[in-house]
Amino acid sequence: MTATQTTTDLRSAIDKGNRQLIEALSNRDIAMIRECYTTDAQVLPAGFDIVSGRQAIGEFWSGALAAGVASAKLETQELAEGGDSAWEVGRYRLHGADGGQVDHGKYIVIWKQEGGKWKLHRDIWTTSVSQPA
Amino acid sequence: MTATQTTTDLRSAIDKGNRQLIEALSNRDIAMIRECYTTDAQVLPAGFDIVSGRQAIGEFWSGALAAGVASAKLETQELAEGGDSAWEVGRYRLHGADGGQVDHGKYIVIWKQEGGKWKLHRDIWTTSVSQPA
């Protein structure tokens, strides 16, 4: 169930999917962000209800970018394939326009193939920054 | 990939796992909470680093219960099996000792069989309550 036990093919496909998302975010390319997700994807961000579908996901990321996210780093910790989907546990870092780290935490992504490409299907993350009581 | 397409067996096993966790939380039974998770489980809560292993997970929940969580409701939205694990998307509600709702949101759980029982293996959730800017 660890990355090393997973097929290399899956790992490089997921790496590619993550690189694409990182690139889309840093280019503020909402159309490309939407393409990283399956058509019926869901994002589950803190402070919002479930965000369903590419259109709504694009709007969510548009808001997050406007709020000061300039770039992201993603690091896969674990990847497991099962059936027509795969699940990934990873860590993220978000940076602002000045390069400073604005947030860091961890995530789970359920990946699914669509049109022969692995895309984010379910996406949830939590900050590791301790919160006011 | 929806609950209705999933085998009834898996759904009832996951329902049972969720009922057990809800019961353990409302009884403040830390040993039973630990038993709901696989031995190498991880919980990914906001405001904390990844919480790894049953001992640390028991301590995390002990803290959450001390902070005012008295009971939880869980509602499976989606469940999909793949390989030796399954992933679930759901909604949660947390209530305080006076019965009032203290939080609500959504979660993803990766379930895994251990000792013939489905247990929480990876567990992450986010509040849907909007947060101060």
Side-chain angles (χ1 to χ4, degrees):
Chain A
M1 299 293 284
T2 62
T4 48
Q5 292 172 279
T6 305
T7 64
T8 315
D9 280 0
L10 176 67
R11 178 57 193 253
S12 39
I14 299 309
D15 284 351
K16 194 177 166 187
N18 277 327
R19 275 199 309 274
Q20 210 157 40
L21 180 62
I22 288 166
E23 192 187 330
L25 286 168
S26 82
N27 291 341
R28 298 171 173 269
D29 185 340
I30 303 298
M32 190 176 165
I33 291 173
R34 281 197 294 252
E35 277 298 310
C36 294
Y37 288 86
T38 59
T39 47
D40 58 343
Q42 291 184 332
V43 172
L44 286 66
F48 295 82
D49 196 1
I50 295 176
V51 179
S52 293
R54 276 184 177 160
Q55 184 65 32
I57 289 170
E59 284 160 20
F60 168 78
W61 279 115
S62 183
L65 292 168
V69 173
S71 67
K73 287 187 182 174
L74 303 173
E75 192 194 332
T76 302
Q77 304 276 308
E78 191 179 15
L79 182 61
E81 193 170 5
D84 61 351
S85 63
W87 56 266
E88 179 199 9
V89 178
R91 292 183 183 273
Y92 73 85
R93 294 183 178 278
L94 300 179
H95 297 264
D98 64 354
Q101 185 171 297
V102 293
D103 190 22
H104 72 281
K106 57 276 176 211
Y107 64 85
I108 292 181
V109 171
I110 311 294
W111 293 83
K112 205 174 162 181
Q113 286 200 68
E114 196 175 82
K117 285 177 65 178
W118 285 92
K119 301 195 173 193
L120 292 92
H121 187 53
R122 301 288 177 263
D123 184 10
I124 185 170
W125 63 92
T126 56
T127 181
S128 293
V129 179
S130 58
Q131 300 173 308
Chain B
M1 300 292 282
T2 62
T4 48
Q5 293 172 281
T6 304
T7 63
T8 315
D9 279 1
L10 176 67
R11 177 58 193 252
S12 41
I14 299 309
D15 284 350
K16 193 177 165 186
N18 277 327
R19 276 198 308 275
Q20 208 157 44
L21 180 62
I22 288 166
E23 192 187 332
L25 286 168
S26 82
N27 291 341
R28 297 171 173 270
D29 184 339
I30 303 299
M32 190 175 164
I33 291 172
R34 280 198 295 253
E35 278 296 311
C36 293
Y37 287 87
T38 60
T39 47
D40 58 343
Q42 291 184 331
V43 172
L44 286 67
F48 295 82
D49 196 1
I50 294 176
V51 179
S52 293
R54 277 186 177 158
Q55 184 65 30
I57 290 170
E59 284 160 19
F60 168 78
W61 279 115
S62 184
L65 291 169
V69 173
S71 67
K73 286 185 183 175
L74 304 173
E75 191 194 334
T76 303
Q77 303 277 307
E78 192 179 13
L79 182 61
E81 192 169 5
D84 62 350
S85 63
W87 55 269
E88 179 199 9
V89 177
R91 292 184 183 273
Y92 73 85
R93 293 183 178 277
L94 300 180
H95 296 265
D98 64 355
Q101 186 172 295
V102 294
D103 189 22
H104 71 282
K106 56 277 176 211
Y107 64 85
I108 292 181
V109 171
I110 311 294
W111 294 83
K112 205 174 162 183
Q113 287 199 67
E114 197 174 81
K117 285 177 69 178
W118 285 91
K119 300 194 173 193
L120 291 92
H121 187 54
R122 301 289 177 261
D123 184 12
I124 185 170
W125 63 93
T126 56
T127 180
S128 292
V129 178
S130 58
Q131 300 173 309

